[in-house]
Amino acid sequence: MPDDGRSSTTADVAVVGAGPNGLAAAVTLARAGLRVDVLERNAWAGGGASTREITVPGYRHDLASAVHPMALASSFFREFRLDERIDLLVPELSFGHPLPDGRVGLGWRDLDRTADGLGADGPAYRRLLAPLLRHLDAINAFTTASLLGVPRHPWAALLYGVRALEQGTPAWNIRFRDEVAPALITGTAGHVIGRHPRLSIAGGGLALTINAHGQGWPVPRGGSQAITDALVDDLTAHDGRVLLGQEVTSPDDLAGYGTVLLDVSVRTFDGIYGERLPQRYRTALRGFRHGNGASKVDFALSGPVPWTSAELRQAPTIHLGGTRAQIAASERSVAHGRFPANPYVLVTQPSVIDPTRAPEGGAVLWAYSHVPYGSPVDMTEAITAAVERYAPGFRDLIVASTATPASRLDTVSPNFAGGDFATGAVTMRQMVRRPVLSPRPWRTPLEGVYLASSATTPGPSVHGLAGWYAARLALSDRFGLDAPDLAPRRPVDRGARA
């Protein structure tokens, strides 16, 4: 269990932040035989992968992430064998997308089943994605590595790049004749906040889409906290500690630790170490830009959402916002600092697959809308109206709700300041320079200090990869150690350490 205070420092390494990346780094270091302290500002571990009762007792809500497309795709989680440690519930219907005219796009785990439901655009949808699905593992490896490296699978990277280029430019409708298939693709791309069409947004959307059809988007039984708890359990089994209520604001707070890994935003990193950083590096950090924000609402419901479409009642993830053109217009408004009349809304209803989230008969619903960075606006009414449009009677089921505006999303994690849960805008420039131009962006100019957050490669999502990459680099640089095996096993014998 996490500790709630710090005793004398005897650890080899400090990890700042107990989010998924920080914990991935800590587990990797502890498995290599090092003593690790994780310093967490909040009174709980998990950051964006936390689950708590924030409306009424008995209803458990995910504070940020709820559905986990990368849980089966991340090479870190594969090494860690997350699927053996927790119960990952994989739905047959990955996502749904209703349109204003009553039609509904359904993203099944089976690509052919999805395409068969798209009418005239079914063959085009299949031709777009089938070649990518045949190279799913290779594309996942490419999209979760530094873009400055040479792809291990050049043909797969080329296939993916050509399709991202098509869907990320004004040519994005060239293969489609109707509205449902492109809405499906754009709705999924909306998981990455930004204007459409844009190469970086399309690339992220395609990666999510092929995983939805290839492996599914799992929901952890009991909530995202299950992922955090599995990481914490492994860390503590190998003599690591999570110290809660420990806010780090200066290097003095890290005195005694020879090596430091930071699961923090660029702004927080600069706030801690700024005066010690070389001016050129610090200037580069200050050129790293935030993205737009998300305004989130959690609902406790007395029953399942009464979607007009029966299929949507079994989809853990639903994208609202209309057609591709309507979503693009909405995101363009947000990018210009305005609130769209018809906002894009990402809805997650984990209760359709996980009955542990609410009392018997009840349900939880998690939703956010994109808003300008730092917006204090409570989007409860806008989100309620968006759901009610496709599920008449939804409003009558609301037992309680809790809003977390973009201006307060940093209460979940300081990395989400302003509602930017990607910890930096997802643009092509910032995917190459994340946060600086380097094949090893996790290493900083300060001896023994590494950046291990979503502000580094490979960017946002609950995958643990930024922390894993940073930890492996630190092991090599600082200790001359190779990356350890992460599979479940008995704790290391500390008495055998040299």
PDB file of all heavy atoms in Angstrom, residues 1-21:
ATOM      1  N   MET A   1       0.846  -1.205   0.000  1.00  0.00           N
ATOM      2  CA  MET A   1       0.000   0.000   0.000  1.00  0.00           C
ATOM      3  C   MET A   1       0.877   1.249   0.000  1.00  0.00           C
ATOM      4  O   MET A   1       1.972   1.255   0.551  1.00  0.00           O
ATOM      5  CB  MET A   1      -0.899   0.013   1.254  1.00  0.00           C
ATOM      6  CG  MET A   1      -1.926  -1.103   1.283  1.00  0.00           C
ATOM      7  SD  MET A   1      -3.140  -0.914  -0.037  1.00  0.00           S
ATOM      8  CE  MET A   1      -3.970   0.573   0.530  1.00  0.00           C
ATOM      9  N   PRO A   2       0.405   2.343  -0.646  1.00  0.00           N
ATOM     10  CA  PRO A   2       1.190   3.574  -0.632  1.00  0.00           C
ATOM     11  C   PRO A   2       1.383   4.095   0.783  1.00  0.00           C
ATOM     12  O   PRO A   2       0.524   3.938   1.657  1.00  0.00           O
ATOM     13  CB  PRO A   2       0.332   4.537  -1.462  1.00  0.00           C
ATOM     14  CG  PRO A   2      -0.530   3.657  -2.308  1.00  0.00           C
ATOM     15  CD  PRO A   2      -0.796   2.444  -1.483  1.00  0.00           C
ATOM     16  N   ASP A   3       2.539   4.727   1.031  1.00  0.00           N
ATOM     17  CA  ASP A   3       2.796   5.379   2.304  1.00  0.00           C
ATOM     18  C   ASP A   3       2.213   6.783   2.265  1.00  0.00           C
ATOM     19  O   ASP A   3       1.970   7.344   1.203  1.00  0.00           O
ATOM     20  CB  ASP A   3       4.311   5.479   2.551  1.00  0.00           C
ATOM     21  CG  ASP A   3       4.960   4.106   2.697  1.00  0.00           C
ATOM     22  OD1 ASP A   3       4.300   3.221   3.244  1.00  0.00           O
ATOM     23  OD2 ASP A   3       6.117   3.943   2.254  1.00  0.00           O
ATOM     24  N   ASP A   4       2.017   7.369   3.444  1.00  0.00           N
ATOM     25  CA  ASP A   4       1.457   8.712   3.481  1.00  0.00           C
ATOM     26  C   ASP A   4       2.446   9.734   4.046  1.00  0.00           C
ATOM     27  O   ASP A   4       2.091  10.841   4.384  1.00  0.00           O
ATOM     28  CB  ASP A   4       0.159   8.744   4.295  1.00  0.00           C
ATOM     29  CG  ASP A   4       0.365   8.253   5.721  1.00  0.00           C
ATOM     30  OD1 ASP A   4       1.520   7.975   6.088  1.00  0.00           O
ATOM     31  OD2 ASP A   4      -0.650   8.157   6.439  1.00  0.00           O
ATOM     32  N   GLY A   5       3.714   9.372   4.102  1.00  0.00           N
ATOM     33  CA  GLY A   5       4.718  10.315   4.569  1.00  0.00           C
ATOM     34  C   GLY A   5       6.098   9.822   4.210  1.00  0.00           C
ATOM     35  O   GLY A   5       6.282   8.662   3.863  1.00  0.00           O
ATOM     36  N   ARG A   6       7.086  10.699   4.280  1.00  0.00           N
ATOM     37  CA  ARG A   6       8.436  10.336   3.879  1.00  0.00           C
ATOM     38  C   ARG A   6       9.313  10.139   5.101  1.00  0.00           C
ATOM     39  O   ARG A   6       9.376  10.985   5.981  1.00  0.00           O
ATOM     40  CB  ARG A   6       9.038  11.429   2.995  1.00  0.00           C
ATOM     41  CG  ARG A   6      10.370  11.021   2.385  1.00  0.00           C
ATOM     42  CD  ARG A   6      11.030  12.183   1.685  1.00  0.00           C
ATOM     43  NE  ARG A   6      10.156  12.827   0.740  1.00  0.00           N
ATOM     44  CZ  ARG A   6      10.530  13.858   0.002  1.00  0.00           C
ATOM     45  NH1 ARG A   6      11.732  14.356   0.107  1.00  0.00           N
ATOM     46  NH2 ARG A   6       9.665  14.409  -0.828  1.00  0.00           N
ATOM     47  N   SER A   7       9.977   9.009   5.170  1.00  0.00           N
ATOM     48  CA  SER A   7      10.977   8.785   6.201  1.00  0.00           C
ATOM     49  C   SER A   7      12.327   9.169   5.626  1.00  0.00           C
ATOM     50  O   SER A   7      12.423   9.784   4.572  1.00  0.00           O
ATOM     51  CB  SER A   7      10.945   7.323   6.631  1.00  0.00           C
ATOM     52  OG  SER A   7      11.195   6.476   5.532  1.00  0.00           O
ATOM     53  N   SER A   8      13.423   8.832   6.272  1.00  0.00           N
ATOM     54  CA  SER A   8      14.739   9.194   5.772  1.00  0.00           C
ATOM     55  C   SER A   8      14.957   8.596   4.389  1.00  0.00           C
ATOM     56  O   SER A   8      14.521   7.489   4.101  1.00  0.00           O
ATOM     57  CB  SER A   8      15.813   8.694   6.739  1.00  0.00           C
ATOM     58  OG  SER A   8      15.735   7.283   6.881  1.00  0.00           O
ATOM     59  N   THR A   9      15.649   9.356   3.537  1.00  0.00           N
ATOM     60  CA  THR A   9      15.855   8.939   2.166  1.00  0.00           C
ATOM     61  C   THR A   9      16.938   7.882   2.086  1.00  0.00           C
ATOM     62  O   THR A   9      18.097   8.143   2.406  1.00  0.00           O
ATOM     63  CB  THR A   9      16.242  10.153   1.304  1.00  0.00           C
ATOM     64  OG1 THR A   9      15.185  11.090   1.348  1.00  0.00           O
ATOM     65  CG2 THR A   9      16.498   9.739  -0.123  1.00  0.00           C
ATOM     66  N   THR A  10      16.573   6.680   1.684  1.00  0.00           N
ATOM     67  CA  THR A  10      17.539   5.610   1.479  1.00  0.00           C
ATOM     68  C   THR A  10      17.443   5.066   0.068  1.00  0.00           C
ATOM     69  O   THR A  10      18.157   4.130  -0.285  1.00  0.00           O
ATOM     70  CB  THR A  10      17.296   4.460   2.472  1.00  0.00           C
ATOM     71  OG1 THR A  10      15.966   3.947   2.276  1.00  0.00           O
ATOM     72  CG2 THR A  10      17.464   4.923   3.903  1.00  0.00           C
ATOM     73  N   ALA A  11      16.566   5.644  -0.752  1.00  0.00           N
ATOM     74  CA  ALA A  11      16.334   5.125  -2.089  1.00  0.00           C
ATOM     75  C   ALA A  11      17.426   5.585  -3.052  1.00  0.00           C
ATOM     76  O   ALA A  11      18.083   6.608  -2.858  1.00  0.00           O
ATOM     77  CB  ALA A  11      14.964   5.561  -2.593  1.00  0.00           C
ATOM     78  N   ASP A  12      17.584   4.813  -4.113  1.00  0.00           N
ATOM     79  CA  ASP A  12      18.511   5.170  -5.177  1.00  0.00           C
ATOM     80  C   ASP A  12      17.904   6.194  -6.122  1.00  0.00           C
ATOM     81  O   ASP A  12      18.616   7.016  -6.696  1.00  0.00           O
ATOM     82  CB  ASP A  12      18.880   3.922  -5.992  1.00  0.00           C
ATOM     83  CG  ASP A  12      19.458   2.808  -5.148  1.00  0.00           C
ATOM     84  OD1 ASP A  12      20.497   3.048  -4.503  1.00  0.00           O
ATOM     85  OD2 ASP A  12      18.875   1.706  -5.133  1.00  0.00           O
ATOM     86  N   VAL A  13      16.586   6.102  -6.306  1.00  0.00           N
ATOM     87  CA  VAL A  13      15.906   6.887  -7.331  1.00  0.00           C
ATOM     88  C   VAL A  13      14.624   7.486  -6.763  1.00  0.00           C
ATOM     89  O   VAL A  13      13.899   6.827  -6.002  1.00  0.00           O
ATOM     90  CB  VAL A  13      15.541   6.010  -8.552  1.00  0.00           C
ATOM     91  CG1 VAL A  13      14.896   6.854  -9.646  1.00  0.00           C
ATOM     92  CG2 VAL A  13      16.764   5.287  -9.097  1.00  0.00           C
ATOM     93  N   ALA A  14      14.343   8.722  -7.159  1.00  0.00           N
ATOM     94  CA  ALA A  14      13.034   9.320  -6.904  1.00  0.00           C
ATOM     95  C   ALA A  14      12.294   9.438  -8.223  1.00  0.00           C
ATOM     96  O   ALA A  14      12.862   9.863  -9.236  1.00  0.00           O
ATOM     97  CB  ALA A  14      13.172  10.699  -6.279  1.00  0.00           C
ATOM     98  N   VAL A  15      11.025   9.051  -8.218  1.00  0.00           N
ATOM     99  CA  VAL A  15      10.127   9.266  -9.340  1.00  0.00           C
ATOM    100  C   VAL A  15       9.077  10.260  -8.871  1.00  0.00           C
ATOM    101  O   VAL A  15       8.413  10.020  -7.859  1.00  0.00           O
ATOM    102  CB  VAL A  15       9.469   7.963  -9.813  1.00  0.00           C
ATOM    103  CG1 VAL A  15       8.447   8.244 -10.907  1.00  0.00           C
ATOM    104  CG2 VAL A  15      10.523   6.976 -10.313  1.00  0.00           C
ATOM    105  N   VAL A  16       8.919  11.354  -9.563  1.00  0.00           N
ATOM    106  CA  VAL A  16       7.952  12.386  -9.184  1.00  0.00           C
ATOM    107  C   VAL A  16       6.686  12.182  -9.998  1.00  0.00           C
ATOM    108  O   VAL A  16       6.701  12.323 -11.229  1.00  0.00           O
ATOM    109  CB  VAL A  16       8.523  13.790  -9.403  1.00  0.00           C
ATOM    110  CG1 VAL A  16       7.493  14.845  -9.002  1.00  0.00           C
ATOM    111  CG2 VAL A  16       9.803  13.975  -8.607  1.00  0.00           C
ATOM    112  N   GLY A  17       5.610  11.838  -9.318  1.00  0.00           N
ATOM    113  CA  GLY A  17       4.327  11.622  -9.971  1.00  0.00           C
ATOM    114  C   GLY A  17       3.976  10.152 -10.065  1.00  0.00           C
ATOM    115  O   GLY A  17       4.733   9.349 -10.616  1.00  0.00           O
ATOM    116  N   ALA A  18       2.811   9.794  -9.506  1.00  0.00           N
ATOM    117  CA  ALA A  18       2.366   8.400  -9.496  1.00  0.00           C
ATOM    118  C   ALA A  18       1.276   8.154 -10.520  1.00  0.00           C
ATOM    119  O   ALA A  18       0.329   7.418 -10.284  1.00  0.00           O
ATOM    120  CB  ALA A  18       1.872   8.002  -8.100  1.00  0.00           C
ATOM    121  N   GLY A  19       1.404   8.803 -11.691  1.00  0.00           N
ATOM    122  CA  GLY A  19       0.549   8.463 -12.812  1.00  0.00           C
ATOM    123  C   GLY A  19       1.068   7.215 -13.504  1.00  0.00           C
ATOM    124  O   GLY A  19       2.068   6.624 -13.087  1.00  0.00           O
ATOM    125  N   PRO A  20       0.420   6.796 -14.582  1.00  0.00           N
ATOM    126  CA  PRO A  20       0.848   5.563 -15.252  1.00  0.00           C
ATOM    127  C   PRO A  20       2.297   5.584 -15.715  1.00  0.00           C
ATOM    128  O   PRO A  20       3.001   4.573 -15.584  1.00  0.00           O
ATOM    129  CB  PRO A  20      -0.116   5.458 -16.440  1.00  0.00           C
ATOM    130  CG  PRO A  20      -1.336   6.217 -16.010  1.00  0.00           C
ATOM    131  CD  PRO A  20      -0.826   7.335 -15.159  1.00  0.00           C
ATOM    132  N   ASN A  21       2.770   6.713 -16.238  1.00  0.00           N
ATOM    133  CA  ASN A  21       4.162   6.772 -16.679  1.00  0.00           C
ATOM    134  C   ASN A  21       5.132   6.725 -15.505  1.00  0.00           C
ATOM    135  O   ASN A  21       6.162   6.049 -15.560  1.00  0.00           O
ATOM    136  CB  ASN A  21       4.396   8.028 -17.515  1.00  0.00           C
ATOM    137  CG  ASN A  21       3.866   7.897 -18.925  1.00  0.00           C
ATOM    138  OD1 ASN A  21       4.122   6.920 -19.606  1.00  0.00           O
ATOM    139  ND2 ASN A  21       3.102   8.885 -19.363  1.00  0.00           N
TER     140      ASN A  21
END
